[in-house]
Amino acid sequence: MTIASIKSALSGLKSLAIGLGITGRAFCEKNVTVIYPQEEVDNLSTYRGHVELVGKEDAPSDPKCMACGLCARSCPSNCFTILCPVPAKDGETCNPAEMGPAPQKGSKAPAEFILDFSLCSLCGQCVKACATGGLQFSNDPYKTSFNREDFKYDLIELLRKEALKRAM
Amino acid sequence: MMNVFHLLLANPAARLVLWLLLMFAFIGFNALILVWVERKVAGYVQLRPGPLHVGPQGLLQPLADAVKLMGKQLVTPAAGDKLLFWAAPLLAFAPVTVCFLPMPFDARFNPLPMNLGLVLILAFSGLGVVSLCLAGWGSNSKFSLLGAARAVAQSVAYEVPLLLSVMAVAICAGSLDLYAIAGHQGAWPWQWYAMKNPLAFFIFLVCAVAETNRAPFDLPEAESELTAGFHTEYSGMGFGIFFLAEYANMVIVAGVAAALFLGGWQGPFFSGVWWFLLKIYAILVFIIWMRWTFPRVRFDQLLNISWKWLTPLALLDLALVVVVVGHLGA
């Protein structure tokens, strides 16, 4: 048993005492856990829910989206179904019912914008890719269902409902 | 009616049975409280509230857990040794009850006077490791067997400095009776052996934690490497009894520490059984606090601490005590 080993043992004992001090202090501190049904956290704005469309400043029920399809292309899980009217080819009559995936020539807004949230991993690539800042994370943590189909969100409709709610 | 009761108390055998029954109740009640304290301390150390919903502040949670354990099926490993497998939990629990007999709760209350109480406790608490060994062997499982092997090595290693530190105190007090040793100290903290001989107190505490297989010395049931160690194969109350015995063992070592080093039932004012219980619980909370602070030691570190540090230090301490007591008298 050398002097060095005694020294290291003493410093080890000191570190044990410091450890006890840290847990002792933590013991006296206030809990950070929230007892859920009785209390709720108030910082839900930091919650990452499914992505939603952002409305235009002057017309909040219309999406900023210009139907470029960058979000759908950047999505690793193919969550998006974005449809726009297919333009008429030369010599044909335009068929207004015919829809194709964005982008389509002449379309500056999506006709349908469906998000399949059951596939989404909330990676945020679509939000980053969007050229107009037209996508953001929603912050409602209480979306639950027993049915897979309920997670196919029509984002345009959701935006309209949200805008209506804000206007009232 | 009163006469019958007095007659009963006059009979040593009847007194023994009554005291054992009382101690059974004490052990069960303490285990329930300790489980709650353990989980509350764990919670608060980790900045969460711990059990909360069963009873006020979760006080009845251990009771609910006990009911759940009792409702579970008892499964015996098909290839195991059935007799040893089921003898082990009983063997873990039975000596624990005996260890409470010489516990000095109060000077005015000595139901079974015995002058070798300390030896009785040390002898019977040594039996506990046999039960772990049998549990490991009877389970026919590699995890159980490894846990049992670790338990034996650890128990043997830490029994030596434990005995030496206890001996230092026994020589100071000149007795092996826990009542006499506790009574030999005064009411004030500086008259306690913990202050007169802090090295022995420190060694005793470390060894006590190791002997009860508590973290950071919980290698026999290291859940990250051995699933649950020696009690891997036990279900329901088989595990429950081991659990009960572990908590009862904690109370015993805390009680012995309180009697040997902290003056037993004596306090600066209102000496009595409440002081003894208060000291026991202070030590228990400290042991629980250590569990939620320190990481588990490695096996070679475990044995090194005992053989390279605690045993020589305890020997040194014992020699010092002998010299001091021999020259100055007790």
Side-chain angles (χ1 to χ4, degrees), chain A residues 37-59:
Chain A
Q38 285 94 339
E39 311 164 42
E40 281 175 29
V41 291
D42 50 6
N43 57 344
L44 278 181
S45 58
T46 61
Y47 179 79
R48 262 193 179 197
H50 68 82
V51 286
E52 60 183 9
L53 289 171
V54 181
K56 286 177 184 155
E57 271 96 33
D58 48 345

Side-chain angles (χ1 to χ4, degrees), chain A residues 3-62:
Chain A
I3 306 282
S5 72
I6 291 175
K7 253 187 194 160
S8 87
L10 284 178
S11 78
L13 277 178
K14 195 180 145 208
S15 80
L16 290 185
I18 291 171
L20 281 175
I22 290 171
T23 47
R25 233 172 298 133
F27 182 87
C28 302
E29 267 168 35
K30 204 178 162 293
N31 289 334
V32 290
T33 307
V34 168
I35 314 302
Y36 167 58
Q38 285 94 339
E39 311 164 42
E40 281 175 29
V41 291
D42 50 6
N43 57 344
L44 278 181
S45 58
T46 61
Y47 179 79
R48 262 193 179 197
H50 68 82
V51 286
E52 60 183 9
L53 289 171
V54 181
K56 286 177 184 155
E57 271 96 33
D58 48 345
S61 60
D62 290 337

Side-chain angles (χ1 to χ4, degrees), chain B residues 187-241:
Chain B
W188 295 92
W190 58 84
Q191 295 168 311
W192 297 345
Y193 286 130
M195 299 302 276
K196 289 183 182 170
N197 194 350
L199 184 58
F201 183 50
F202 174 75
I203 293 171
F204 182 87
L205 264 189
V206 175
C207 296
V209 174
E211 283 286 304
T212 47
N213 297 331
R214 295 274 308 176
F217 302 115
D218 59 342
L219 287 101
E221 42 194 306
E223 51 281 79
S224 48
E225 5 178 318
L226 296 182
T227 317
F230 61 89
H231 62 64
T232 305
E233 302 293 337
Y234 285 89
S235 58
M237 267 329 261
F239 161 74
I241 291 176

Side-chain angles (χ1 to χ4, degrees), chain A residues 70-114:
Chain A
L70 275 181
C71 50
R73 213 200 272 183
S74 70
C75 181
S77 342
N78 287 328
C79 302
F80 293 102
T81 314
I82 306 167
L83 296 178
C84 295
V86 179
K89 281 177 193 147
D90 290 339
E92 284 178 29
T93 50
C94 176
N95 180 6
E98 199 189 338
M99 298 286 225
Q104 295 287 346
K105 225 174 214 172
S107 293
K108 287 278 159 62
E112 260 187 83
F113 201 116
I114 312 281

Side-chain angles (χ1 to χ4, degrees), chain B residues 139-330:
Chain B
S139 297
N140 190 36
S141 144
K142 52 182 170 272
F143 296 128
S144 303
L145 194 62
L146 279 170
R150 285 179 176 196
V152 173
Q154 177 175 340
S155 194
V156 169
Y158 279 85
E159 206 119 295
V160 177
L162 180 91
L163 282 175
L164 290 173
S165 67
V166 165
M167 217 139 77
V169 171
I171 288 174
C172 275
S175 171
L176 286 169
D177 180 4
L178 280 170
Y179 280 89
I181 297 176
H184 203 262
Q185 305 165 65
W188 295 92
W190 58 84
Q191 295 168 311
W192 297 345
Y193 286 130
M195 299 302 276
K196 289 183 182 170
N197 194 350
L199 184 58
F201 183 50
F202 174 75
I203 293 171
F204 182 87
L205 264 189
V206 175
C207 296
V209 174
E211 283 286 304
T212 47
N213 297 331
R214 295 274 308 176
F217 302 115
D218 59 342
L219 287 101
E221 42 194 306
E223 51 281 79
S224 48
E225 5 178 318
L226 296 182
T227 317
F230 61 89
H231 62 64
T232 305
E233 302 293 337
Y234 285 89
S235 58
M237 267 329 261
F239 161 74
I241 291 176
F242 274 120
F243 200 57
L244 202 62
E246 184 191 317
Y247 277 96
N249 267 320
M250 271 170 72
V251 178
I252 291 172
V253 294
V256 171
L260 290 184
F261 294 98
L262 299 178
W265 63 84
Q266 300 165 103
F269 34 80
F270 306 124
S271 287
V273 62
W274 37 85
W275 272 106
F276 190 63
L277 293 178
L278 188 75
K279 286 166 188 172
I280 286 186
Y281 262 82
I283 295 171
L284 287 174
V285 167
F286 183 69
I287 292 177
I288 290 172
W289 182 14
M290 286 209 287
R291 167 164 179 193
W292 297 104
T293 304
F294 300 146
R296 189 181 304 129
V297 295
R298 225 168 45 216
F299 200 70
D300 59 319
Q301 293 170 331
L302 173 94
L303 292 182
N304 278 350
I305 291 172
S306 170
W307 293 120
K308 284 193 184 167
W309 288 99
L310 295 180
T311 306
L313 277 177
L315 272 174
L316 197 72
D317 185 64
L318 183 65
L320 272 176
V321 165
V322 168
V323 170
V324 171
V325 170
H327 274 271
L328 305 176

